[in-house]
Coordinates of all heavy atoms in Angstrom, one line a residue:
M1 N 0.9 -1.2 0.0 CA 0.0 0.0 0.0 C 0.9 1.3 0.0 O 0.6 2.2 -0.8 CB -0.9 0.0 1.2 CG -2.0 1.0 1.1 SD -3.2 0.9 2.4 CE -4.0 -0.7 2.0
N2 N 1.9 1.3 0.8 CA 2.8 2.4 0.8 C 3.6 2.6 -0.4 O 4.0 3.7 -0.8 CB 3.8 2.3 2.0 CG 3.1 2.4 3.3 OD1 2.1 3.0 3.5 ND2 3.8 1.9 4.4
D3 N 3.8 1.5 -1.2 CA 4.5 1.5 -2.4 C 3.7 1.8 -3.6 O 4.2 2.1 -4.7 CB 5.3 0.2 -2.6 CG 6.3 0.0 -1.6 OD1 6.8 0.9 -1.0 OD2 6.7 -1.2 -1.3
V4 N 2.4 1.7 -3.5 CA 1.5 1.8 -4.7 C 0.4 2.9 -4.5 O 0.4 3.9 -5.2 CB 0.8 0.4 -5.0 CG1 0.0 0.6 -6.3 CG2 1.9 -0.6 -5.2
L5 N -0.5 2.7 -3.5 CA -1.7 3.5 -3.4 C -1.3 4.9 -2.9 O -1.8 5.9 -3.5 CB -2.7 2.9 -2.4 CG -3.2 1.5 -2.9 CD1 -4.3 1.1 -1.9 CD2 -3.7 1.6 -4.3
E6 N -0.5 5.0 -1.9 CA -0.1 6.3 -1.4 C 0.6 7.1 -2.5 O 0.3 8.3 -2.7 CB 0.7 6.2 -0.1 CG 0.8 7.6 0.6 CD -0.5 8.3 1.0 OE1 -1.4 7.6 1.3 OE2 -0.5 9.5 0.9
P7 N 1.7 6.6 -3.1 CA 2.4 7.4 -4.2 C 1.4 7.8 -5.3 O 1.5 8.8 -5.9 CB 3.5 6.4 -4.7 CG 3.7 5.5 -3.6 CD 2.4 5.3 -2.8
A8 N 0.5 6.8 -5.7 CA -0.4 7.1 -6.8 C -1.3 8.3 -6.4 O -1.5 9.2 -7.2 CB -1.3 5.9 -7.1
R9 N -1.8 8.3 -5.1 CA -2.7 9.4 -4.7 C -1.9 10.7 -4.7 O -2.4 11.8 -5.1 CB -3.3 9.1 -3.3 CG -4.2 10.2 -2.9 CD -4.8 9.9 -1.5 NE -3.8 10.1 -0.5 CZ -4.0 10.6 0.7 NH1 -5.2 10.9 1.0 NH2 -3.0 10.7 1.6
T10 N -0.7 10.7 -4.2 CA 0.1 11.9 -4.2 C 0.3 12.5 -5.6 O 0.2 13.6 -5.8 CB 1.5 11.6 -3.5 OG1 1.2 11.2 -2.1 CG2 2.3 12.8 -3.4
Q11 N 0.7 11.6 -6.5 CA 1.0 12.1 -7.9 C -0.3 12.5 -8.6 O -0.3 13.5 -9.3 CB 1.6 10.9 -8.7 CG 3.0 10.6 -8.3 CD 3.7 9.6 -9.2 OE1 3.6 9.6 -10.4 NE2 4.3 8.6 -8.6
L12 N -1.4 11.8 -8.3 CA -2.7 12.2 -9.0 C -3.2 13.6 -8.4 O -3.7 14.4 -9.2 CB -3.7 11.1 -8.8 CG -5.0 11.2 -9.6 CD1 -4.7 11.2 -11.1 CD2 -6.0 10.1 -9.1
G13 N -3.1 13.7 -7.1 CA -3.4 15.0 -6.5 C -4.9 15.2 -6.2 O -5.3 16.3 -5.9
I14 N -5.7 14.1 -6.4 CA -7.1 14.2 -6.1 C -7.5 12.9 -5.4 O -6.7 11.9 -5.5 CB -8.0 14.3 -7.4 CG1 -7.8 13.2 -8.3 CG2 -7.8 15.7 -8.0 CD1 -8.8 13.2 -9.5
P15 N -8.6 12.8 -4.7 CA -9.0 11.6 -4.0 C -9.1 10.4 -4.9 O -9.6 10.5 -6.0 CB -10.3 11.9 -3.3 CG -10.3 13.4 -3.2 CD -9.6 13.9 -4.5
I16 N -8.8 9.2 -4.3 CA -9.0 7.9 -5.0 C -10.0 7.2 -4.1 O -9.8 7.0 -2.9 CB -7.7 7.2 -5.2 CG1 -6.7 7.9 -6.1 CG2 -8.0 5.8 -5.7 CD1 -5.3 7.3 -6.1
Y17 N -11.0 6.6 -4.7 CA -12.0 5.8 -4.0 C -11.6 4.3 -4.2 O -11.5 3.8 -5.3 CB -13.4 6.1 -4.5 CG -13.7 7.5 -4.3 CD1 -13.5 8.4 -5.4 CD2 -14.2 8.0 -3.1 CE1 -13.8 9.8 -5.3 CE2 -14.5 9.4 -3.0 CZ -14.3 10.3 -4.1 OH -14.5 11.6 -3.9
V18 N -11.6 3.6 -3.0 CA -11.3 2.1 -3.1 C -12.6 1.4 -3.0 O -13.2 1.4 -1.9 CB -10.3 1.8 -1.9 CG1 -10.1 0.2 -2.0 CG2 -9.0 2.5 -2.0
N19 N -13.0 0.8 -4.1 CA -14.3 0.1 -4.1 C -14.2 -1.3 -3.5 O -15.2 -1.8 -3.0 CB -14.9 0.0 -5.5 CG -15.3 1.4 -6.0 OD1 -15.7 2.3 -5.3 ND2 -15.3 1.6 -7.3
S20 N -13.0 -1.9 -3.6 CA -12.8 -3.2 -3.1 C -11.4 -3.4 -2.7 O -10.5 -3.0 -3.5 CB -13.2 -4.3 -4.1 OG -13.1 -5.6 -3.5
G21 N -11.1 -3.8 -1.5 CA -9.7 -4.1 -1.1 C -9.6 -5.6 -0.7 O -9.8 -6.4 -1.5
Y22 N -9.4 -5.8 0.6 CA -9.3 -7.2 1.1 C -10.7 -7.8 1.0 O -11.6 -7.2 1.2 CB -8.8 -7.3 2.5 CG -9.0 -8.6 3.1 CD1 -8.2 -9.7 2.8 CD2 -10.1 -8.9 3.9 CE1 -8.4 -10.9 3.3 CE2 -10.3 -10.2 4.4 CZ -9.5 -11.2 4.1 OH -9.7 -12.5 4.6
R23 N -10.7 -9.0 0.5 CA -12.0 -9.8 0.5 C -11.7 -11.1 1.2 O -10.7 -11.9 0.9 CB -12.4 -10.2 -0.9 CG -12.8 -9.0 -1.8 CD -13.2 -9.5 -3.2 NE -13.2 -8.4 -4.1 CZ -12.9 -8.6 -5.4 NH1 -12.5 -9.8 -5.9 NH2 -13.0 -7.6 -6.2
C24 N -12.6 -11.5 2.1 CA -12.6 -12.8 2.7 C -13.1 -13.8 1.6 O -13.7 -13.4 0.6 CB -13.5 -12.9 3.9 SG -15.2 -12.7 3.6
P25 N -12.8 -15.1 1.8 CA -13.2 -16.1 0.7 C -14.6 -16.1 0.4 O -15.0 -16.2 -0.8 CB -12.7 -17.4 1.3 CG -11.5 -17.1 2.2 CD -11.9 -15.7 2.8
A26 N -15.5 -15.9 1.4 CA -17.0 -15.9 1.1 C -17.3 -14.8 0.2 O -18.1 -14.9 -0.7 CB -17.7 -15.9 2.4
L27 N -16.9 -13.6 0.6 CA -17.2 -12.4 -0.2 C -16.6 -12.5 -1.6 O -17.3 -12.2 -2.7 CB -16.7 -11.1 0.4 CG -16.9 -9.8 -0.4 CD1 -18.3 -9.6 -0.6 CD2 -16.2 -8.7 0.3
N28 N -15.4 -13.0 -1.7 CA -14.8 -13.2 -3.1 C -15.6 -14.1 -3.9 O -15.7 -13.8 -5.1 CB -13.3 -13.7 -2.9 CG -12.5 -13.6 -4.2 OD1 -12.3 -12.5 -4.7 ND2 -12.1 -14.7 -4.7
A29 N -16.1 -15.2 -3.3 CA -17.0 -16.1 -4.1 C -18.3 -15.4 -4.6 O -18.7 -15.6 -5.7 CB -17.3 -17.3 -3.3
V30 N -18.9 -14.6 -3.7 CA -20.1 -13.9 -4.0 C -20.0 -12.9 -5.2 O -20.8 -12.9 -6.1 CB -20.7 -13.2 -2.8 CG1 -21.8 -12.2 -3.2 CG2 -21.2 -14.2 -1.7
V31 N -18.8 -12.2 -5.2 CA -18.6 -11.2 -6.2 C -18.0 -11.8 -7.5 O -17.7 -11.1 -8.5 CB -17.8 -10.0 -5.8 CG1 -18.5 -9.4 -4.6 CG2 -16.4 -10.4 -5.4
G32 N -17.8 -13.1 -7.5 CA -17.2 -13.8 -8.7 C -15.7 -13.6 -8.9 O -15.2 -13.6 -10.0
G33 N -15.0 -13.3 -7.8 CA -13.6 -13.1 -7.9 C -12.8 -14.3 -8.2 O -13.3 -15.5 -8.1
A34 N -11.7 -14.1 -8.8 CA -10.8 -15.3 -9.2 C -10.5 -16.1 -7.9 O -10.3 -15.5 -6.9 CB -9.5 -14.8 -9.9
K35 N -10.3 -17.4 -8.1 CA -10.1 -18.3 -6.9 C -8.7 -17.9 -6.2 O -8.5 -18.2 -5.0 CB -10.1 -19.7 -7.3 CG -11.5 -20.3 -7.5 CD -11.5 -21.8 -7.7 CE -12.9 -22.4 -7.6 NZ -13.9 -21.8 -8.5
R36 N -7.8 -17.4 -7.0 CA -6.5 -17.1 -6.5 C -6.3 -15.6 -6.5 O -5.2 -15.1 -6.6 CB -5.4 -17.8 -7.2 CG -5.6 -19.3 -7.1 CD -4.4 -20.1 -7.7 NE -3.2 -19.9 -6.9 CZ -2.0 -20.5 -7.2 NH1 -1.9 -21.3 -8.2 NH2 -1.0 -20.2 -6.4
S37 N -7.4 -14.8 -6.3 CA -7.3 -13.4 -6.4 C -6.4 -12.8 -5.4 O -6.3 -13.2 -4.2 CB -8.7 -12.8 -6.2 OG -8.7 -11.4 -6.1
Y38 N -5.6 -11.7 -5.8 CA -4.8 -11.0 -4.8 C -5.7 -10.3 -3.8 O -5.2 -10.0 -2.7 CB -4.0 -10.0 -5.6 CG -2.7 -10.5 -6.2 CD1 -2.7 -10.9 -7.5 CD2 -1.5 -10.7 -5.4 CE1 -1.5 -11.4 -8.1 CE2 -0.4 -11.2 -6.0 CZ -0.4 -11.5 -7.4 OH 0.7 -12.1 -7.9
H39 N -7.0 -10.1 -4.1 CA -7.9 -9.5 -3.1 C -7.9 -10.3 -1.8 O -8.1 -9.9 -0.7 CB -9.3 -9.3 -3.6 CG -9.4 -8.2 -4.6 ND1 -9.5 -6.9 -4.2 CD2 -9.5 -8.2 -6.0 CE1 -9.6 -6.1 -5.2 NE2 -9.7 -6.8 -6.4
L40 N -7.8 -11.7 -2.0 CA -7.8 -12.6 -0.8 C -6.6 -12.4 0.1 O -6.7 -12.8 1.2 CB -7.9 -14.1 -1.3 CG -9.1 -14.5 -2.1 CD1 -9.0 -15.8 -2.8 CD2 -10.3 -14.6 -1.1
L41 N -5.6 -11.9 -0.4 CA -4.4 -11.7 0.3 C -4.2 -10.2 0.8 O -3.3 -9.9 1.5 CB -3.1 -12.0 -0.6 CG -3.1 -13.4 -1.2 CD1 -2.0 -13.4 -2.2 CD2 -3.0 -14.5 -0.2
G42 N -5.2 -9.4 0.5 CA -5.1 -8.0 0.9 C -4.1 -7.3 0.1 O -3.6 -6.2 0.5
R43 N -3.8 -7.8 -1.1 CA -2.8 -7.2 -2.0 C -3.4 -6.7 -3.3 O -2.7 -6.8 -4.3 CB -1.6 -8.2 -2.2 CG -0.9 -8.5 -0.9 CD 0.2 -9.5 -1.1 NE 1.1 -9.0 -2.0 CZ 2.2 -9.6 -2.4 NH1 2.4 -10.8 -2.0 NH2 3.1 -9.1 -3.3
A44 N -4.6 -6.3 -3.3 CA -5.3 -5.8 -4.5 C -6.3 -4.7 -4.1 O -6.8 -4.8 -3.0 CB -5.9 -6.9 -5.3
A45 N -6.5 -3.8 -5.0 CA -7.6 -2.8 -4.8 C -8.2 -2.5 -6.1 O -7.6 -2.4 -7.2 CB -7.0 -1.6 -4.2
D46 N -9.5 -2.2 -6.1 CA -10.3 -1.7 -7.2 C -10.5 -0.2 -6.9 O -11.2 0.2 -6.0 CB -11.6 -2.4 -7.4 CG -11.3 -3.9 -7.7 OD1 -10.3 -4.2 -8.2 OD2 -12.2 -4.7 -7.5
L47 N -10.0 0.6 -7.9 CA -9.9 2.0 -7.7 C -10.7 2.8 -8.7 O -10.8 2.5 -9.9 CB -8.5 2.5 -7.7 CG -7.5 1.7 -6.9 CD1 -6.0 2.2 -7.3 CD2 -7.7 1.9 -5.4
T48 N -11.3 4.0 -8.3 CA -11.8 4.9 -9.2 C -11.7 6.3 -8.7 O -11.6 6.5 -7.4 CB -13.3 4.6 -9.5 OG1 -13.7 5.5 -10.6 CG2 -14.2 4.9 -8.3
T49 N -11.6 7.2 -9.6 CA -11.6 8.7 -9.2 C -13.0 9.3 -9.4 O -13.2 10.4 -8.9 CB -10.6 9.4 -10.1 OG1 -11.1 9.3 -11.4 CG2 -9.2 8.9 -10.0
G50 N -13.9 8.5 -10.1 CA -15.2 9.1 -10.4 C -15.3 9.5 -11.8 O -16.4 9.8 -12.2
S51 N -14.2 9.7 -12.5 CA -14.3 10.0 -14.0 C -13.3 9.2 -14.8 O -12.2 8.9 -14.3 CB -14.0 11.5 -14.2 OG -12.6 11.8 -14.3
R52 N -13.7 8.9 -16.0 CA -12.8 8.1 -16.8 C -11.5 8.8 -17.2 O -10.4 8.2 -17.3 CB -13.5 7.6 -18.1 CG -14.4 6.4 -17.9 CD -14.8 5.9 -19.3 NE -15.6 4.6 -19.2 CZ -16.9 4.6 -18.8 NH1 -17.6 5.7 -18.6 NH2 -17.5 3.4 -18.8
A53 N -11.6 10.1 -17.3 CA -10.4 10.9 -17.7 C -9.4 10.8 -16.6 O -8.2 10.6 -16.8 CB -10.8 12.4 -18.0
D54 N -9.9 11.0 -15.3 CA -8.9 10.9 -14.2 C -8.5 9.5 -14.0 O -7.4 9.3 -13.5 CB -9.6 11.5 -13.0 CG -9.6 13.1 -13.0 OD1 -8.7 13.7 -13.7 OD2 -10.5 13.7 -12.5
N55 N -9.4 8.5 -14.2 CA -9.0 7.1 -14.1 C -7.8 6.8 -15.1 O -6.9 6.1 -14.7 CB -10.2 6.2 -14.4 CG -11.1 6.1 -13.2 OD1 -10.9 6.6 -12.2 ND2 -12.2 5.4 -13.4
R56 N -7.9 7.4 -16.3 CA -6.8 7.2 -17.3 C -5.5 7.8 -16.7 O -4.5 7.2 -16.9 CB -7.2 7.9 -18.6 CG -6.1 7.9 -19.6 CD -5.5 6.6 -19.9 NE -6.4 5.7 -20.7 CZ -6.1 4.4 -21.0 NH1 -4.9 3.9 -20.7 NH2 -7.0 3.7 -21.7
R57 N -5.6 9.0 -16.1 CA -4.4 9.6 -15.5 C -3.8 8.6 -14.4 O -2.6 8.4 -14.3 CB -4.7 10.9 -14.9 CG -4.9 12.0 -15.9 CD -5.3 13.3 -15.2 NE -4.3 13.7 -14.2 CZ -4.6 14.2 -13.0 NH1 -5.9 14.4 -12.7 NH2 -3.7 14.5 -12.1
L58 N -4.8 8.1 -13.6 CA -4.4 7.2 -12.5 C -3.8 5.9 -13.1 O -2.7 5.5 -12.6 CB -5.6 6.9 -11.6 CG -5.4 5.8 -10.5 CD1 -4.3 6.3 -9.6 CD2 -6.8 5.5 -9.8
Y59 N -4.3 5.4 -14.1 CA -3.8 4.2 -14.8 C -2.4 4.4 -15.2 O -1.5 3.6 -15.0 CB -4.7 3.8 -15.9 CG -4.3 2.5 -16.6 CD1 -4.8 1.3 -16.1 CD2 -3.5 2.5 -17.7 CE1 -4.4 0.1 -16.7 CE2 -3.1 1.3 -18.3 CZ -3.6 0.1 -17.8 OH -3.3 -1.1 -18.4
D60 N -2.1 5.6 -15.8 CA -0.8 5.8 -16.4 C 0.2 6.0 -15.2 O 1.3 5.6 -15.4 CB -0.8 7.1 -17.3 CG -1.5 6.9 -18.6 OD1 -1.7 5.7 -19.0 OD2 -2.0 7.8 -19.2
I61 N -0.3 6.6 -14.1 CA 0.6 6.7 -12.9 C 0.9 5.3 -12.4 O 2.1 5.0 -12.0 CB 0.0 7.6 -11.9 CG1 -0.1 9.0 -12.3 CG2 0.7 7.4 -10.5 CD1 -1.0 9.9 -11.5
L62 N -0.1 4.4 -12.2 CA 0.1 3.1 -11.7 C 1.1 2.3 -12.5 O 1.8 1.4 -12.0 CB -1.3 2.4 -11.5 CG -2.2 2.9 -10.4 CD1 -3.6 2.4 -10.6 CD2 -1.6 2.6 -9.0
R63 N 1.0 2.5 -13.8 CA 1.9 1.8 -14.7 C 3.4 2.0 -14.3 O 4.2 1.1 -14.6 CB 1.8 2.2 -16.1 CG 0.5 1.8 -16.8 CD 0.3 2.3 -18.2 NE 1.4 1.8 -19.1 CZ 1.4 2.0 -20.4 NH1 0.5 2.8 -20.9 NH2 2.4 1.6 -21.1
T64 N 3.7 3.1 -13.7 CA 5.1 3.4 -13.3 C 5.4 2.9 -11.9 O 6.6 3.0 -11.5 CB 5.3 4.9 -13.4 OG1 4.7 5.6 -12.3 CG2 4.9 5.5 -14.7
L65 N 4.5 2.4 -11.2 CA 4.7 2.0 -9.8 C 4.7 0.4 -9.7 O 4.2 -0.2 -10.7 CB 3.6 2.5 -8.9 CG 3.5 4.0 -8.8 CD1 2.2 4.5 -8.1 CD2 4.7 4.6 -8.1
P66 N 5.3 -0.2 -8.7 CA 5.4 -1.6 -8.6 C 4.0 -2.3 -8.6 O 3.1 -1.8 -7.9 CB 6.1 -1.9 -7.3 CG 6.7 -0.6 -6.9 CD 5.9 0.5 -7.5
H67 N 3.8 -3.3 -9.4 CA 2.5 -4.0 -9.4 C 2.7 -5.4 -10.1 O 3.6 -5.5 -10.9 CB 1.4 -3.2 -10.1 CG 1.7 -2.9 -11.6 ND1 2.4 -1.8 -12.0 CD2 1.4 -3.6 -12.7 CE1 2.5 -1.8 -13.3 NE2 1.9 -3.0 -13.8
H68 N 1.8 -6.3 -9.7 CA 1.7 -7.6 -10.4 C 0.6 -7.6 -11.5 O 0.8 -8.3 -12.5 CB 1.4 -8.7 -9.4 CG 2.6 -9.0 -8.5 ND1 3.8 -9.3 -8.9 CD2 2.6 -8.9 -7.1 CE1 4.6 -9.5 -7.8 NE2 3.9 -9.2 -6.7
E69 N -0.4 -6.9 -11.2 CA -1.6 -6.9 -12.1 C -2.0 -5.4 -12.2 O -2.1 -4.7 -11.2 CB -2.7 -7.7 -11.6 CG -2.5 -9.2 -11.5 CD -3.6 -10.0 -10.8 OE1 -4.3 -9.4 -10.1 OE2 -3.6 -11.2 -10.9
L70 N -2.4 -5.0 -13.4 CA -3.0 -3.7 -13.6 C -4.0 -3.9 -14.7 O -3.7 -4.1 -15.9 CB -1.9 -2.7 -14.0 CG -2.4 -1.2 -14.1 CD1 -3.0 -0.7 -12.9 CD2 -1.3 -0.4 -14.6
I71 N -5.3 -3.7 -14.4 CA -6.4 -3.9 -15.4 C -7.3 -2.8 -15.5 O -7.8 -2.3 -14.5 CB -7.2 -5.2 -14.9 CG1 -6.2 -6.4 -14.8 CG2 -8.2 -5.5 -16.0 CD1 -6.9 -7.7 -14.2
W72 N -7.5 -2.3 -16.7 CA -8.5 -1.3 -17.0 C -9.9 -1.9 -17.2 O -10.1 -2.6 -18.1 CB -8.0 -0.6 -18.3 CG -8.8 0.5 -18.9 CD1 -9.5 0.5 -20.0 CD2 -8.8 1.8 -18.4 NE1 -10.1 1.7 -20.3 CE2 -9.6 2.6 -19.3 CE3 -8.2 2.5 -17.3 CZ2 -9.9 4.0 -19.1 CZ3 -8.5 3.8 -17.1 CH2 -9.3 4.6 -18.0
E73 N -10.7 -1.9 -16.1 CA -11.9 -2.7 -16.0 C -13.1 -2.0 -16.6 O -13.3 -0.8 -16.4 CB -12.2 -3.0 -14.5 CG -11.2 -3.8 -13.8 CD -11.3 -5.3 -13.9 OE1 -12.0 -5.8 -14.8 OE2 -10.7 -6.0 -13.1
R74 N -13.9 -2.8 -17.4 CA -15.1 -2.3 -17.9 C -15.0 -0.9 -18.6 O -15.8 0.0 -18.3 CB -16.2 -2.2 -16.8 CG -16.5 -3.5 -16.1 CD -17.5 -4.3 -16.7 NE -17.6 -5.7 -16.2 CZ -18.4 -6.0 -15.2 NH1 -19.3 -5.2 -14.7 NH2 -18.4 -7.2 -14.7
G75 N -14.0 -0.8 -19.5 CA -13.9 0.4 -20.2 C -13.5 1.6 -19.4 O -13.7 2.7 -19.7
G76 N -12.9 1.4 -18.3 CA -12.3 2.4 -17.4 C -13.3 2.8 -16.3 O -13.0 3.8 -15.6
L77 N -14.3 2.1 -16.0 CA -15.2 2.3 -14.9 C -14.3 2.3 -13.6 O -14.6 3.1 -12.7 CB -16.3 1.3 -14.8 CG -17.6 1.7 -15.5 CD1 -18.6 0.6 -15.2 CD2 -18.1 3.0 -15.1
W78 N -13.4 1.3 -13.5 CA -12.5 1.2 -12.4 C -11.2 0.5 -12.8 O -11.2 0.1 -13.9 CB -13.1 0.5 -11.2 CG -13.2 -1.0 -11.3 CD1 -12.3 -1.9 -10.9 CD2 -14.3 -1.7 -11.8 NE1 -12.8 -3.2 -11.1 CE2 -14.0 -3.1 -11.7 CE3 -15.6 -1.4 -12.3 CZ2 -14.9 -4.1 -12.1 CZ3 -16.4 -2.5 -12.7 CH2 -16.1 -3.8 -12.6
I79 N -10.2 0.6 -12.0 CA -8.9 0.0 -12.2 C -8.6 -1.0 -11.1 O -8.8 -0.7 -9.9 CB -7.8 1.1 -12.2 CG1 -8.1 2.1 -13.3 CG2 -6.4 0.5 -12.3 CD1 -7.3 3.4 -13.1
H80 N -8.3 -2.2 -11.6 CA -7.8 -3.2 -10.6 C -6.3 -3.2 -10.6 O -5.6 -3.2 -11.6 CB -8.3 -4.6 -11.1 CG -7.6 -5.7 -10.3 ND1 -8.1 -6.4 -9.2 CD2 -6.4 -6.4 -10.6 CE1 -7.3 -7.3 -8.8 NE2 -6.2 -7.3 -9.6
V81 N -5.7 -3.0 -9.4 CA -4.2 -3.1 -9.3 C -3.9 -4.1 -8.2 O -4.6 -4.1 -7.1 CB -3.6 -1.7 -9.0 CG1 -4.1 -1.1 -7.7 CG2 -2.1 -1.8 -9.0
A82 N -2.9 -4.9 -8.4 CA -2.4 -5.8 -7.3 C -0.9 -5.7 -7.2 O -0.2 -5.4 -8.2 CB -2.8 -7.3 -7.7
W83 N -0.5 -5.9 -6.0 CA 1.0 -5.7 -5.7 C 1.5 -6.8 -4.9 O 0.8 -7.6 -4.4 CB 1.3 -4.3 -5.0 CG 0.5 -4.2 -3.8 CD1 0.8 -4.5 -2.5 CD2 -0.8 -3.6 -3.7 NE1 -0.2 -4.2 -1.6 CE2 -1.2 -3.7 -2.3 CE3 -1.7 -3.1 -4.6 CZ2 -2.4 -3.2 -1.8 CZ3 -3.0 -2.6 -4.1 CH2 -3.3 -2.7 -2.7
Ligands
ZN1 ZN1 -9.8 -6.2 -8.4

């Protein structure tokens, strides 16, 4: 989190909303998460700024930060990042 989310927020300069972070196995199953999702380890977050334009800026920032997965979800409605 200190290596990804905080630097991303600082560089972006506006609030980032975390729609999903850690998921217990039961919740992960309900939302259709991958069986080996990083969310189960508390090492993933689904992020949005509230606008696709700012999500694009956030995505470009996240590309420069350490991550295992970076996914532009549903046409930019949110971004999945795992570290
Ligand atoms: Zn996710």
Side-chain angles (χ1 to χ4, degrees):
M1 194 173 291
N2 289 340
D3 295 335
V4 182
L5 298 185
E6 189 60 34
R9 186 180 69 143
T10 299
Q11 289 184 47
L12 189 64
I14 60 173
I16 297 171
Y17 302 95
V18 180
N19 290 335
S20 185
Y22 169 76
R23 294 179 194 147
C24 66
L27 175 61
N28 193 60
V30 167
V31 301
K35 284 189 167 55
R36 301 186 67 179
S37 170
Y38 280 97
H39 285 284
L40 293 166
L41 305 173
R43 296 180 57 182
D46 294 338
L47 309 172
T48 187
T49 61
S51 86
R52 278 190 174 82
D54 286 330
N55 283 353
R56 172 55 70 183
R57 289 178 52 222
L58 175 59
Y59 184 88
D60 289 341
I61 290 167
L62 289 167
R63 288 175 62 176
T64 70
L65 298 170
H67 61 270
H68 291 300
E69 298 171 338
L70 183 60
I71 304 171
W72 182 249
E73 299 271 19
R74 304 270 170 94
L77 271 183
W78 75 90
I79 297 163
H80 165 95
V81 61
W83 56 89

